Each structure stands twice: as C-alpha cells, then as structure tokens.
C-alpha cells in the first residue's frame, strides 16, 4: 500500500525536483563559506537555551503527563490518556495557528507569550487544585510549548552563512532536552 502511494506521488512531482542546476547555482556552490564559531555567538546560545526549555516542557508532558494524572489526581488510566490527548490537541492547535501569529506579531513576542502561557499552564498542573483546572492547565501548557522548538530552529537558520551548523547545534540541544531531560526528572 505504501509503495503504491509512493509511486502515485512520484508521478505528480515536477520533472526537475531534486536536481541542482550547476550552471545557475555555480556561484553559490563554489563560494567559500567562513567557519562558524557556534559557542561564540551569544544569540545562538540563547536560542539554544530557549529551545532546550521548550523541548523539555514538551518532552516532559510526553513522558510523564498520563502518569502524573493517574497518580496525583487519582483518575483512571483512560482519563490520564485523554488528558495527554488534550495536550497533543493543544500542540496541534498551536502549531497550526503559529504561522499566522508569527506573521502578524513576530518571533519575539510570540515566544515570550508562549513561554508565559506554558509556565502558567504548568503551574496550574503543579498546584494540584482540581482535576478540571489541571486539565485546562494542560491545554495551556500544550499551547505554550508548541512553538518553541520550530521557531527556535527557524531563528537559528536566519544567517545563510553556516545555517546548517547553527540549526544542527540548536536541534541537538533541543533533542537532548526532549529525550534526556524528562528521564532525568525520575531520579
């Protein structure tokens, strides 16, 4: 089935997809790029820290949210999974509407707002007031955490000179926080 889908998709691709025109791109291909010193760029380090924080928030919810609700709020496993679905729905809504919001307001106000919303939602969940308040907090947590990683990667790749190294650096920090950070919370 997947192979059939791939064959159908390939049929509708433009004929020059994936081919590089060496004649018109000769100057960009052969121009030497300067070596990028990643750790000396303070802006890039700050972007990496922001991405690490947002990826940690996202990864923690992915790993611990259903368990938290089952243990702390004494709900069933199904309800804990539904709450996790609320988080994923909020992430979807945030990422789907993120392009419009970024075009309208810009990166910095959106990232600041997203961080405030994520911390607010996380605080509501941590305060352990009521299951319904906590579920609303999970929604805020998901909305807030949704744009940190993709916007951070976009900001890291702004400068075309060394964009690959910059994006690789920031994405490595983000995935490190996403994958290793939640596991370290268990210790």
């Amino acid at each position: 089935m997947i192979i059939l889908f791939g064959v159908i998709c390939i049929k509708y691709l433009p004929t020059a997809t994936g081919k590089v025109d060496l004649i018109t791109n000769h100057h960009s291909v052969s121009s030497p790029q300067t070596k990028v010193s990643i750790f000396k760029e303070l802006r890039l380090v700050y972007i990496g820290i922001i991405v690490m924080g947002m990826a940690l928030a996202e990864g923690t919810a992915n790993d611990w949210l259903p368990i938290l609700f089952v243990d702390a709020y004494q709900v069933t496993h199904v309800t804990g999974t539904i709450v996790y679905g609320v988080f994923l729905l909020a992430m979807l809504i945030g990422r789907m509407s993120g392009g419009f919001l970024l075009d309208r307001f810009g990166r910095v106000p959106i990232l600041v707002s997203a961080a405030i919303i994520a911390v607010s939602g996380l605080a509501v969940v941590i305060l352990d007031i009521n299951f319904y308040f906590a579920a609303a907090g999970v929604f805020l947590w998901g909305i807030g955490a949704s744009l940190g990683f993709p916007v951070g990667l976009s900001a890291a790749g702004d400068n075309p000179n060394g964009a690959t190294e910059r994006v690789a650096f920031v994405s490595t920090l983000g995935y490190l926080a996403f994958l290793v950070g939640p596991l370290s919370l268990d210790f």
Side-chain angles (χ1 to χ4, degrees), residues 47-177:
I47 291 170
I49 291 169
I50 291 168
V51 167
M52 284 181 76
M54 294 297 221
L56 179 62
E58 184 179 343
T60 302
N62 287 337
D63 289 357
W64 295 110
L65 194 58
I67 297 169
L68 169 73
F69 271 79
V70 168
D71 290 347
Y73 293 97
Q74 285 86 35
V75 298
T76 65
H77 294 282
V78 172
T79 305
T81 305
I82 290 171
V83 170
Y84 176 61
V86 167
F87 178 80
L88 293 177
L89 178 67
M91 291 281 293
L92 175 70
I93 291 169
R95 288 193 175 161
M96 295 294 285
S97 62
F100 170 75
L101 295 172
L102 288 166
D103 288 342
R104 184 172 173 110
F105 300 108
R107 273 192 210 140
V108 175
I110 292 299
L111 276 180
V112 169
S113 301
I116 291 170
I117 292 169
V119 168
S120 302
L122 188 55
V124 169
V125 172
I126 290 172
L127 289 176
D128 195 15
I129 299 170
N130 177 326
F131 168 76
Y132 298 105
F133 281 118
V138 166
F139 186 80
L140 292 175
W141 181 3
I143 289 284
S146 65
L147 293 177
F149 199 92
V151 172
L153 289 181
S154 174
D158 278 348
N159 187 350
N161 184 25
T164 306
E165 291 87 358
R166 289 179 177 90
V167 170
F169 172 73
V170 171
S171 66
T172 301
L173 290 178
Y175 282 117
L176 184 69

